[in-house]
Amino acid sequence: MLPGLVSPLRPVAPGIRRPDYAATGEPSDRAARAVRTADEIEAMRVAGRVAADALVTVGAAVRPGITTDELDEIGHEAMVAAGAYPSTLNYRGYPKSLCSSVNEVICHGIPDSRRLVEGDIVNLDVTAYIEGVHGDTSATFLVGEVDDRSAELVATTRAAMRAGIDVVRPGARIFEIGRAIEAVALPRGFSIVREFIGHGIGDQFHTSLQIPHYYDPRNDTVLLPGMTFTIEPMVNVGARTLEMWDDGWTVVTRDLQRSAQFEHTVLVTTDGVEILTLPTDGVPAEERFARPELVVEPTGQDPGS
Ligand code: MF3
Ligand code: CO
Ligand code: CO
């Protein structure tokens, strides 16, 4: 991948509520509570739905020949039409309304003039701010036919995210999430990125709550009802070592082998977990656009073994 041209900032209508960093680029460093109020949770269902609907809309537009800037425009318009501010816009100076991470780009790829080509994989990461809270979700899409290892990478990463979500319940410890993700990804020969992790989310985009996607027994924080955070594993075909482009955002694998990612925002309920980033019709992007023959079971076991 090479950097392309980045288009000018897209406007957001003045009637749309903006997060604290929208003008300055710097989020305030207020301490965030780990447990959300009932009103915040209700609002996060709205923000999650708006982000997920926008992700479905941009995912449907993925095809050979479209530029990632055009995908950004589609995502931007979907969010503002729903009354939301695209959370990434000017977040710490980030210039676009979503992240588009193609092939060896691990995360935070900036939409630009590059056209997708058949065989690419692209993660689109959409975050919406509405009613004072954020919803954050992403999926990796296949552009036409892709090689078998890329398809396996994407299916495995999706299953790994699912396995991480499935261990979330009150009383569970945070390290169980990474352990479940590893159990899916590592036996298939993939590596897991450590430098970028899931995060608490609510009235702030990123709170201090840390959700590693690898097994870290020191992170034994107990999950409580009302906690909201993301699970967003980045899984690589080759080594987990990464590098950053000079743009200060685009994170790539050092060996230039491919990387995939899926993300949901989740809520710890009184008896389990609720995915907050589901679209209006309840069918998430990763389910709509999956190739059925490529689904990997989220158990860590090979279906055939
Ligand atoms: N949506 C990303 C996440 O999952 C964060 C993007 S921040 C940006 O946490 F500044 F790069 F847009
Ligand atoms: Co996130
Ligand atoms: Co995200």
Side-chain angles (χ1 to χ4, degrees), residues 153 155-168 173-194 196-199 210-216 229-236 260-264 266 296-301:
L153 171 73
T156 298
T157 308
R158 175 188 169 199
M161 173 190 66
R162 185 73 235 183
I165 294 171
D166 284 345
V167 301
V168 173
R173 292 179 187 270
I174 286 179
F175 65 64
E176 294 179 51
I177 297 169
R179 195 170 60 188
I181 290 167
E182 282 192 346
V184 175
L186 300 186
R188 292 181 169 84
F190 298 118
S191 67
I192 298 172
V193 170
R194 297 193 169 205
F196 296 89
I197 60 181
H199 50 92
Q210 303 198 343
I211 313 290
H213 305 115
Y214 55 94
Y215 179 48
D216 176 5
F229 52 84
T230 70
I231 297 179
E232 49 178 304
M234 284 143 269
V235 177
N236 298 354
Q261 180 179 26
F262 287 84
E263 174 175 25
H264 276 301
V266 302
V296 168
E297 294 303 316
T299 55
Q301 305 293 312

Side-chain angles (χ1 to χ4, degrees), residues 28-34 36 203-204 207-208:
S28 75
D29 54 6
R30 288 169 292 128
R33 289 158 292 110
R36 319 242 65 91
D203 57 333
Q204 297 173 56
T207 76
S208 52

Side-chain angles (χ1 to χ4, degrees), residues 94 98-102 105-111 247 249-251:
Y94 184 84
L98 53 76
C99 299
S100 57
S101 301
V102 179
V105 180
I106 294 171
C107 62
H108 303 167
I110 299 172
D247 63 14
W249 284 108
T250 308
V251 179

Side-chain angles (χ1 to χ4, degrees), residues 54-78:
L55 180 62
V56 167
T57 301
V58 288
V62 168
R63 54 174 165 76
I66 197 164
T67 69
T68 51
D69 186 62
E70 287 166 336
L71 294 171
D72 178 74
E73 182 177 21
I74 292 166
H76 179 91
E77 293 306 326

Side-chain angles (χ1 to χ4, degrees), residues 82-136:
Y85 180 93
S87 302
T88 61
L89 198 59
N90 206 30
Y91 181 73
R92 301 190 187 282
Y94 184 84
K96 288 287 149 194
S97 298
L98 53 76
C99 299
S100 57
S101 301
V102 179
N103 297 343
E104 74 271 17
V105 180
I106 294 171
C107 62
H108 303 167
I110 299 172
D112 66 16
S113 57
R114 184 193 183 271
R115 291 180 193 284
L116 296 177
V117 299
E118 173 108 9
D120 282 346
I121 62 172
V122 58
N123 174 275
L124 299 172
D125 191 341
V126 174
T127 313
Y129 179 79
I130 186 170
E131 297 191 14
V133 296
H134 300 269
D136 187 5

